Amino acid sequence: MNDEQPGPSGASGPEETRPLGPAPAAGASWVPPTAQPRPMQWDAPRPAGGPAPYAQPYPQPYPQPYGQPYPAPTAAPRGRVPAWVWPVVSVLALVVGVVGGVVGSVVHDQLQEESGSALLGSGLAEDAVRTYPPLDVADGSVAAVAQELLPSTVQIRAELDGEAGGATGSGFVLDTRGHVVTNNHVVADAAEEDGEIEIVDQDGNRYAAQVVGRSPVYDLAVLYAEEVEGRKPAALGSSTRLLVGEGVVAIGSPLGLSSTVTAGIVSALKRPVTTGDSANDSSYINAVQTDAAINPGNSGGPLVNLRGQVVGVNSAIATTGGGMLGGESGNIGVGFAIPIEQVRVTADQILRTGEASYPVIGAQVQTGRRDGTGARIEEVLDDTPAAEAGLEAGDVVVAVDGERVTDGIALIVSIRTHQPGETIAFTVVRDGDEREVEVTLGSETG
């Protein structure tokens, strides 16, 4: 059990969310008293009795007095190589090259087979993604954003084998190598039950897609389709540069209506929310909040700034009822997107290894208590980062690296914005006294 497995819940909040060479000393110089420096020129006069200047061995000490003979060049004696040696060397080099290529290919294929996917590579290649904003500030209209992003946005259809219906969602082209980003909850059932996953482009063309890897913890998945290779990817921006009130555009396939565009503003930043019906299904998001209309089917689609850059992946909406995004309830003007920074990190890990890692401290926290007083630790497991840092059951974490923590969900979200191996500072209240505790984050995959 770890910090991603919350402890007993208390009273629920009013809202629920659903997944969508050193220099010489100064003045030092030396010139032989009877010698003048020799001019550095190719046509220097030939010294009497000496060879031409260009015949001198290199390097030649400098300065060299005129009239002094140059040292005779020396060279090691060279033996003749028998003529039959060169064909033999050439044949051996060819054989070694062929054998090395075969062995390398076999090892590469074996590693790919052991990894469970032939789609893995070196991660998210910088030369295959776009980051420069495609639109100028003056051109930042909703219409311009739609024209720029619609060709790079797709619909995702995940069908279970032998069953009617299935899940639908959205996604966008991540790079020029045929990779598409979407939410994990869009493709999870199909991936686990050997169902079929299709990508549908703006023109209605359908392409079979494979799952490269999934992260239930961050609610992200990376797909691959050969037909998507070479297509223009969406430009990736930054959520950290967003301002509350800034205009954004959500693009996707709400309710199965492909290539739908809605517009709104950034309502809030760094909003800690959780999605899912249970601890095992939950994803914790340090979300970008928007009032752009997001409905079931928008999950996995891009949230875009007015310069045409993706700043988040639409993942969840607040409801007055409950249940997962994709149910009957629709938009009430409060939607949440996964920040693009987390998308890039998770996609890179998936494209390297087929899975994603996330940080843990090895403690169980209470997530039902939402009174704003902090995150109460219910249990600390042995031999974990929390235990090594000296955390105890009953401690209340009120800040992480100086940023306030209001409840258990906020603590988990704050932890997951970091990477395994990082050391972060917890401000903890114990028996009425406040203290600071440094915790080096552990790692799990999921």
Side-chain angles (χ1 to χ4, degrees):
M1 187 175 294
N2 55 49
D3 54 318
E4 275 66 45
Q5 295 175 314
S9 299
S12 300
E15 291 183 347
E16 297 185 24
T17 58
R18 303 177 295 165
L20 202 55
S29 62
W30 178 84
V31 178
T34 60
Q36 295 297 324
R38 182 181 180 191
M40 297 183 67
Q41 54 186 20
W42 288 106
D43 59 350
R46 178 174 178 171
Y54 58 80
Q56 63 179 326
Y58 183 83
Q60 175 69 23
Y62 182 82
Q64 173 74 20
Y66 276 114
Q68 299 296 322
Y70 288 88
T74 59
R78 301 175 64 182
R80 296 186 63 183
V81 178
W84 59 268
V85 171
W86 301 115
V88 172
V89 171
S90 299
V91 171
L92 286 176
L94 180 61
V95 170
V96 170
V98 172
V99 172
V102 171
V103 172
S105 178
V106 170
V107 171
H108 181 264
D109 291 344
Q110 182 177 357
L111 289 175
Q112 285 189 331
E113 182 178 353
E114 291 176 355
S115 72
S117 174
L119 306 177
L120 305 183
S122 57
L124 185 59
E126 292 298 323
D127 61 347
V129 300
R130 296 171 66 210
T131 56
Y132 191 80
L135 301 176
D136 292 333
V137 175
D139 298 331
S141 67
V142 174
V145 171
Q147 185 175 6
E148 171 66 30
L149 267 293
L150 279 172
S152 302
T153 305
V154 297
Q155 183 182 28
I156 309 294
R157 301 178 63 88
E159 305 287 345
L160 298 181
D161 189 22
E163 295 186 19
T168 62
S170 306
F172 63 89
V173 180
L174 176 65
D175 58 21
T176 59
R177 300 183 177 179
H179 297 121
V180 170
V181 166
T182 188
N183 281 142
N184 172 68
H185 72 260
V186 173
V187 298
D189 289 343
E192 293 169 0
E193 301 295 333
D194 295 326
E196 296 182 355
I197 300 174
E198 282 186 332
I199 290 173
V200 185
D201 66 14
Q202 183 185 13
D203 299 323
N205 301 310
R206 296 170 178 256
Y207 310 114
Q210 298 171 263
V211 176
V212 180
R214 302 183 293 118
S215 173
V217 166
Y218 291 114
D219 195 17
L220 292 168
V222 178
L223 311 180
Y224 169 79
E226 182 179 358
E227 294 82 358
V228 178
E229 288 187 24
R231 294 206 174 196
K232 183 176 71 172
L236 306 182
S238 171
S239 70
T240 61
R241 297 181 181 180
L242 291 173
L243 299 175
V244 174
E246 181 176 341
V248 286
V249 178
I251 306 177
S253 303
L255 308 176
L257 303 173
S258 62
S259 301
T260 296
V261 175
T262 58
I265 63 168
V266 175
S267 304
L269 295 169
K270 297 183 178 180
R271 180 74 77 192
V273 296
T274 182
T275 66
D277 292 329
S278 67
N280 292 331
D281 297 327
S282 291
S283 299
Y284 294 84
I285 305 172
N286 194 30
V288 178
Q289 182 179 322
T290 180
D291 69 348
I294 297 175
N295 286 285
N298 272 117
S299 295
L303 185 69
V304 188
N305 64 19
L306 294 184
R307 299 195 70 186
Q309 295 172 297
V310 180
V311 293
V313 172
N314 300 317
S315 184
I317 57 175
T319 69
T320 55
M324 299 285 288
L325 181 66
E328 295 181 358
S329 296
N331 171 68
I332 60 171
V334 183
F336 304 101
I338 303 168
I340 193 62
E341 289 82 3
Q342 184 61 60
V343 177
R344 294 189 66 159
V345 170
T346 301
D348 180 71
Q349 292 175 346
I350 288 174
L351 291 173
R352 290 178 187 275
T353 66
E355 57 188 9
S357 61
Y358 63 96
V360 296
I361 64 171
Q364 186 182 69
V365 298
Q366 187 180 85
T367 58
R369 173 183 168 188
R370 305 184 68 177
D371 56 8
T373 60
R376 181 181 179 84
I377 295 179
E378 296 290 324
E379 181 183 4
V380 175
L381 304 181
D382 295 334
D383 300 322
T384 62
E388 293 174 0
L391 290 174
E392 299 177 0
D395 286 349
V396 178
V397 180
V398 296
V400 173
D401 281 344
E403 293 193 7
R404 183 183 176 190
V405 169
T406 58
D407 53 37
I409 292 175
L411 175 60
I412 296 173
V413 167
S414 180
I415 290 171
R416 290 187 182 177
T417 61
H418 295 272
Q419 294 301 309
E422 291 185 26
T423 299
I424 57 180
F426 283 15
T427 303
V428 177
V429 175
R430 180 186 301 169
D431 299 328
D433 295 327
E434 188 173 285
R435 65 189 69 193
E436 189 168 285
V437 177
E438 291 192 344
V439 183
T440 300
L441 301 175
S443 176
E444 291 190 7
T445 58

